[in-house]
Amino acid sequence: TQTATQTHEVRMPMYLPTFKPATGCTNASDFIVRCFVARLRSGITVVKHGRSRWCKSRLRILHVHSDGRSLTWKPALGEPSSSKRPPKLDLSTCVEVRHAWSPDPLNPMFTGTPILRQKCEAPNAHKSFALVFPKRTVDITAVTADQCKVLMEGFSALCFRLQVANLAGRGQGQGGKRGKSEDGQPDDRTTTASVTLTNTT
């Protein structure tokens, strides 16, 4: 039997000129976003492929900051720690969630991303994907194919909703000053939009 949540699920058409969800990901309901953010807050262990040619692929724990939009990661237990500051990537600026088998628009003859093609072994491609940002990619191999599906669906829904919230905030007379009101103070409207997406209570 279906629960009320399932029968009243909101399926938003995931179309934005600024964001491309993973192929087959069409559901950006509150339920999916909230569940995914809750899982990210507790940490999700994956294999992350380093951007440097000399950098090994390592187990990392993906984590989202309390703002519900900033992605970071840290070494998994037993992995060498880094002296570098942990990254903080704004998921509202993600332009695509791309599976390793999806076409690379910059190299139409290839799939995935340059890092996935270089670092991800062929037997793992089915459970690998990348978060594409304007100036970098975050290239990930999940532990299982199921985890990969959950991550791609979750990131697709979360990034989509964050961008919709950004656009809604801008449309309320902010004149392109994202997150700031006319007097230069942080504007509550954009934070409210993201809080409604990440409030897990």
Side-chain angles (χ1 to χ4, degrees):
T1 58
Q2 286 191 317
T3 64
T5 312
Q6 289 169 318
T7 51
H8 293 94
E9 207 170 69
V10 182
R11 285 189 179 266
M12 300 175 69
M14 272 207 236
Y15 174 75
L16 283 175
T18 53
F19 176 68
K20 184 179 177 186
T23 305
C25 294
T26 57
N27 190 346
S29 69
D30 276 351
F31 180 72
I32 283 193
V33 172
R34 285 186 178 142
C35 288
F36 184 63
V37 168
R39 288 179 76 165
L40 266 181
R41 281 193 174 148
S42 59
I44 300 173
T45 303
V46 297
V47 174
K48 188 189 158 296
H49 303 289
R51 291 189 291 165
S52 158
R53 177 174 294 190
W54 321 113
C55 196
K56 283 186 177 177
S57 301
R58 300 264 188 205
L59 280 173
R60 294 287 180 261
I61 300 171
L62 298 179
H63 192 74
V64 72
H65 284 263
S66 55
D67 62 3
R69 66 193 299 145
S70 302
L71 181 72
T72 188
W73 51 85
K74 62 182 181 183
L77 206 63
E79 289 281 347
S81 56
S82 169
S83 56
K84 290 193 296 187
R85 275 181 61 196
K88 191 174 179 182
L89 291 173
D90 184 351
L91 288 169
S92 72
T93 65
C94 179
V95 294
E96 185 182 353
V97 178
R98 185 187 304 160
H99 189 270
W101 287 342
S102 294
D104 181 348
L106 299 176
N107 296 282
M109 300 292 288
F110 297 98
T111 59
T113 65
I115 292 172
L116 282 177
R117 293 194 291 273
Q118 182 189 346
K119 301 275 187 83
C120 176
E121 295 172 4
N124 293 327
H126 71 287
K127 56 180 182 177
S128 301
F129 71 99
L131 301 174
V132 182
F133 291 86
K135 293 185 177 174
R136 66 165 294 171
T137 58
V138 178
D139 301 84
I140 291 164
T141 293
V143 177
T144 64
D146 281 345
Q147 187 199 43
C148 181
K149 187 170 184 285
V150 167
L151 286 168
M152 288 197 308
E153 285 176 348
F155 277 120
S156 292
L158 177 57
C159 295
F160 175 80
R161 293 294 288 267
L162 287 170
Q163 292 212 19
V164 167
N166 270 357
L167 292 169
R170 274 188 228 157
Q172 292 175 351
Q174 288 185 35
K177 293 181 187 173
R178 192 166 86 195
K180 295 281 179 83
S181 61
E182 283 75 19
D183 59 359
Q185 295 300 310
D187 192 333
D188 286 339
R189 285 175 296 201
T190 49
T191 49
T192 308
S194 63
V195 167
T196 55
L197 301 181
T198 57
N199 185 0
T200 53
T201 52

